[in-house]
Amino acid sequence: MTTPFHYEPGAATGPVPPPECPAHGLGIGPGGLRRFYGPEAERDPHGLYDKLRAEHGSVAPVLLHGDVPAWLVLGHSENLHVTRTPSQFSRDSRRWRALQDGSVAPDHPLAPIFTWQPMCVFADGATHERLRGAVTDSMGRIDTRGVRRHVNRYSNRLVNEFCQQGRADLVGQFAERLPMMVTCAIIGMPEEYNDRMVQAARDMTRGTATAVASNAYVLDALTRLVQRRRREPADDFATWLVEHPAGLNDQEVSEHLRLILIASYEATANLIANVLRMVLTDPRFRARLSGGHMTVPEAVEQTLWDEPPFTAVFGRWAVGDTELGGQQIKEGDALIVGIAPANTDPVVRPDLGADMAGNRAHLAFSGGPHECPGQDIGRAIADVGVDALLMRLPDLELAVEESELTWVGNIMGRHLVELPADFAARPPQDDKEPPSMGRPNPQRQDWEVQSTVRHTAPTPGRAPAPAASGTAATATAVDESRSAVTEPSFGESGSTAAEPSAVGRIPQQRGGESAPARLWRAVSRWWGGS
């Protein structure tokens, strides 16, 4: 088998229609390959995964926008291998054969995602270590407790805008706005937060005709910020990157800020919306949450298994000819890390309704040396934001039938268009000015948030409206009483403890004893009578 793709861009099959063309609504493209974009893929992604798995196994050939061929990795172990083996599967998009032969133009709808930039997400080896080190060191300076207080105030500010109306769209008025407000403040550009920034962040990853323009809008704002921070340092993430000993130039700083801003926003907005949807549509899920049997962090963790904020990550590029999942991968082939299909791989989840309590093997934040470094901040925003909303509006009920909910999808994921909810109108509350985002002690590295899952998987249904009493106290107590175990998050990714090459790159791994280790040592002393 010389190539898995009987169809190659530019072959004598007629001109490729533009992305908006109705012809792209068909799920089957040239060569009989399934399209990984368009109405069918967006409407029922899990159904598409099942078809591809049945037809091809754990690795399947698919078509990207413009009917450009790529590999979608469906298996859990195969995805781990791809993400953990940069020597075989590089993040450097310049290796893509379709780019080299001109099959993919610079103005391709997915250009903002795959176009090579001088940042760690497109680097391997020593270059990745230098750039990634600057990002993780700067994240280590973030005061997460301060961020949580900041999120709580912003959440209440957003709720104040609609609490007197008795109805709200929890996506447009809360889930999509909160992460951008918080992330802009962390980065150091709160004045740039507006609806245009929110829209541009969404548009960049959708593969639309305006994606390139949206990317330019965001990058322009970040470039201005970097130039300002060179002149006027402040206590924010942009300044920490500018001043880092790695010596990033202005373009490198701007590109990494864009990575953090867009990836953290997209992932966290989707995560909040997905958790709230489960609360409003699954009676068991809500009952366990409101009854104190499940904390908000645990609810977030279960959602990361069932509805990860990023369903796929494009891309990896084959360094040489190899075999993966029984398929012959050729040098320069593009691969898509299939996060959602990996999480539902029958090998690791033969029963999708089984209890995933305590199991954090999901790939919601990818894996390997590019595993997302900001996941704990993303978790904190989702934990506190959802908790604050439920404390303010414990009587939330879905305002439409669950079947009326709709999604918009793209190659990286899908998100709810609206989540209409009814509640009893109530007066607004006072909100105070948020605290500083920086740590008093930059050397402290134990900021991560940990959440464990101890509940059954959700089941479909319409939710009643029990009070959400105890969720805030429970979640806060859990968070305040334990250190965290680093795991995948939004944006560029970082390696797990099982990977020696990444030791020392993630803040929690630089020293100190983990919470489980401290607990085990205490139990051992007690057992021995000391």
Side-chain angles (χ1 to χ4, degrees):
M1 184 176 180
T2 56
T3 174
F5 306 110
H6 303 292
Y7 165 74
E8 295 286 349
T13 58
V16 176
E20 296 82 4
C21 177
H24 280 276
L26 303 176
I28 304 295
L33 299 183
R34 294 190 181 275
R35 291 188 169 112
F36 196 55
Y37 68 97
E40 181 177 339
E42 295 173 8
R43 183 172 55 251
D44 184 17
H46 292 285
L48 177 60
Y49 305 148
D50 291 341
K51 292 176 183 177
L52 290 169
R53 207 187 305 269
E55 294 167 355
H56 302 284
S58 58
V59 178
V62 295
L63 296 173
L64 302 177
H65 295 71
D67 288 338
V68 177
W71 293 103
L72 174 62
V73 186
L74 299 161
H76 189 275
S77 63
E78 288 79 8
N79 273 290
L80 283 178
H81 178 70
V82 168
T83 58
R84 292 176 173 178
T85 318
S87 60
Q88 285 184 292
F89 303 101
S90 172
R91 285 293 280 129
D92 190 338
S93 62
R94 293 172 296 186
R95 294 178 178 272
W96 194 7
R97 192 169 61 254
L99 275 177
Q100 296 171 358
D101 64 18
S103 300
V104 174
D107 61 348
H108 189 276
L110 296 179
I113 299 175
F114 68 70
T115 300
W116 184 89
Q117 292 112 30
M119 57 184 183
C120 55
V121 74
F122 289 104
D124 299 310
T127 301
H128 175 262
E129 297 245 344
R130 179 180 77 88
L131 298 173
R132 174 60 179 245
V135 172
T136 53
D137 287 345
S138 298
M139 283 189 170
R141 298 182 63 175
I142 297 174
D143 178 9
T144 303
R145 291 190 179 183
V147 170
R148 294 174 75 86
R149 292 191 294 269
H150 197 96
V151 174
N152 191 62
R153 287 179 172 86
Y154 274 163
S155 298
N156 283 316
R157 190 174 301 175
L158 289 173
V159 174
N160 282 345
E161 294 180 7
F162 56 75
C163 65
Q164 300 180 81
Q165 300 168 13
R167 173 173 282 206
D169 168 21
L170 299 182
V171 172
Q173 294 178 266
F174 190 80
E176 288 193 339
R177 297 183 63 189
L178 178 62
M180 184 59 74
M181 295 174 76
V182 177
T183 308
C184 281
I186 291 174
I187 286 177
M189 46 185 272
E191 73 285 350
E192 293 285 356
Y193 166 75
N194 54 35
D195 289 341
R196 176 72 180 94
M197 186 66 72
V198 172
Q199 294 163 3
R202 279 288 192 206
D203 190 48
M204 284 174 58
T205 61
R206 289 181 182 172
T208 64
T210 56
V212 175
S214 295
N215 178 62
Y217 174 84
V218 172
L219 194 55
D220 182 62
L222 294 171
T223 299
R224 293 195 305 270
L225 172 64
V226 173
Q227 294 170 349
R228 187 164 64 251
R229 287 296 175 258
R230 291 284 186 194
R231 301 189 305 267
E232 305 167 8
D235 190 22
D236 55 39
F237 193 87
T239 300
W240 302 332
L241 273 185
V242 165
E243 297 180 343
H244 193 273
L248 276 62
N249 60 39
D250 284 5
Q251 183 184 7
E252 289 173 332
V253 175
S254 297
E255 294 290 359
H256 283 88
L257 290 177
R258 184 187 67 138
L259 172 69
I260 298 298
L261 178 70
I262 302 304
S264 64
Y265 163 73
E266 177 79 10
T268 311
N270 286 345
L271 181 57
I272 292 173
N274 291 339
V275 173
L276 292 175
R277 179 181 65 85
M278 291 304 304
V279 169
L280 296 184
T281 61
D282 186 338
R284 276 204 308 171
F285 190 88
R286 183 169 187 156
R288 292 177 64 82
L289 187 61
S290 61
H293 300 289
M294 177 173 66
T295 66
V296 171
E298 289 170 338
V300 167
E301 208 64 37
Q302 181 65 41
T303 304
L304 290 171
W305 268 106
D306 298 329
E307 193 75 36
F310 287 125
T311 56
V313 175
F314 177 68
R316 297 292 196 279
W317 288 272
V319 175
D321 293 354
T322 188
E323 181 177 331
L324 181 69
Q327 300 284 11
Q328 300 300 314
I329 311 297
K330 307 299 289 184
E331 179 181 353
D333 279 357
L335 296 94
I336 305 165
V337 176
I339 292 173
N343 283 358
T344 58
D345 184 350
V347 174
V348 295
R349 291 185 75 184
D351 178 7
L352 295 181
D355 186 4
M356 300 303 290
N359 189 336
R360 300 185 76 181
H362 59 71
L363 297 183
F365 303 113
S366 188
H370 288 274
E371 185 179 324
C372 178
Q375 61 189 296
D376 295 298
I377 297 297
R379 279 188 172 96
I381 296 173
D383 292 349
V384 178
V386 170
D387 198 29
L389 177 68
L390 296 180
M391 287 296 292
R392 290 284 303 276
L393 306 174
D395 56 340
L396 282 170
E397 284 203 57
L398 190 63
V400 299
E401 293 299 322
E402 183 179 355
S403 60
E404 297 178 45
L405 298 178
T406 58
W407 283 260
V408 171
N410 56 60
I411 189 174
M412 297 181 67
R414 66 174 193 159
H415 70 272
L416 275 172
V417 176
E418 291 182 326
L419 187 61
D422 290 329
F423 51 89
R426 39 180 57 80
Q429 294 182 356
D430 291 337
D431 56 70
K432 301 176 182 179
E433 285 302 310
S436 167
M437 291 295 186
R439 276 181 188 283
N441 178 8
Q443 299 305 314
R444 182 179 165 200
Q445 301 290 351
D446 60 348
W447 54 265
E448 291 90 341
V449 180
Q450 180 184 19
S451 56
T452 351
V453 181
R454 290 193 306 269
H455 60 89
T456 56
T459 55
R462 175 74 178 271
S469 61
T471 42
T474 304
T476 302
V478 170
D479 177 63
E480 297 282 334
S481 66
R482 60 190 177 190
S483 300
V485 177
T486 300
E487 195 161 309
S489 152
F490 49 64
E492 216 276 322
S493 5
S495 5
T496 61
E499 297 177 63
S501 63
V503 174
R505 306 312 303 173
I506 303 300
Q508 179 64 25
Q509 295 174 331
R510 295 180 183 173
E513 198 172 28
S514 67
R518 288 197 301 271
L519 178 60
W520 177 251
R521 185 160 50 83
V523 171
S524 298
R525 286 201 307 268
W526 171 79
W527 183 262
S530 57

